Amino acid sequence: MPIKLENVGIAVRDLEATIAFFTDLGLTVVGRDTVSGEWTDTAVGLDGNHAKIAVLNTPDGHGQLELFEYLHPEAIETEPTRPNEIGMHRVAFSVDDLDEALAIAARHGCHPLRGVATYQDVYKLTYLRGPSGILVMLAQELKKN
């Protein structure tokens, strides 16, 4: 059976701020909507849900993020995910210029958790907290094959 990753869904506190962060990094908004009704209750498994959503594409056209801000029921604040917790916890992006990407992130108040590391002279990378505490990994390839 063929399978294809459709998107990664992320619940956010502030949809507009999160869109601004990811579009500044180079993603493009390809769709926006407000969803509610029986079909969303069934699909999501949450009665009475009502959310604003946005779908963003990566510049290469192969990746998508679906961001959603719950209007009802009220979003539940949790502690930000830590890198070693079980479950889905980060979204990763390859960038051409890590310093430029970090400067863009900084304009949104987002900074590396600890610093920038180099992995075997192949990648320069870091984790940072994006909007709503989303863990974002940014990596720049140092050696092109």
Side-chain angles (χ1 to χ4, degrees):
M1 174 185 81
I3 189 168
K4 174 185 151 198
L5 179 65
E6 184 63 29
N7 64 50
V8 173
I10 305 172
V12 300
R13 182 178 308 112
D14 182 336
L15 185 63
E16 297 308 318
T18 308
I19 289 170
F21 174 80
F22 284 114
T23 56
D24 280 356
L25 284 175
L27 280 73
T28 305
V29 176
V30 294
R32 294 176 75 122
D33 203 356
T34 301
V35 297
S36 64
E38 186 177 330
W39 77 270
T40 61
D41 293 355
T42 300
V44 175
L46 183 63
D47 289 336
N49 75 83
H50 184 194
K52 296 187 294 186
I53 66 170
V55 177
L56 289 77
N57 270 0
T58 56
D60 65 3
H62 295 293
Q64 283 192 332
L65 293 182
E66 182 177 333
L67 306 174
F68 41 97
E69 178 184 336
Y70 276 94
L71 304 173
H72 184 270
E74 188 173 316
I76 300 168
E77 290 286 339
T78 60
E79 291 296 316
T81 304
R82 295 174 15 158
N84 63 330
E85 288 182 21
I86 300 295
M88 195 169 106
H89 60 86
R90 69 154 169 79
V91 59
F93 296 98
S94 294
V95 296
D96 290 335
D97 184 335
L98 184 59
D99 293 332
E100 180 183 353
L102 289 174
I104 291 167
R107 291 197 297 266
H108 293 269
C110 305
H111 305 280
L113 298 181
R114 183 163 293 164
V116 174
T118 301
Y119 173 71
Q120 298 184 359
D121 294 326
V122 177
Y123 287 100
K124 192 165 67 164
L125 61 110
T126 190
Y127 279 32
L128 57 89
R129 288 252 177 241
S132 299
I134 301 166
L135 274 175
V136 177
M137 184 183 92
L138 299 173
Q140 176 184 336
E141 188 175 1
L142 297 175
K143 295 180 179 177
K144 300 285 184 188
N145 291 336

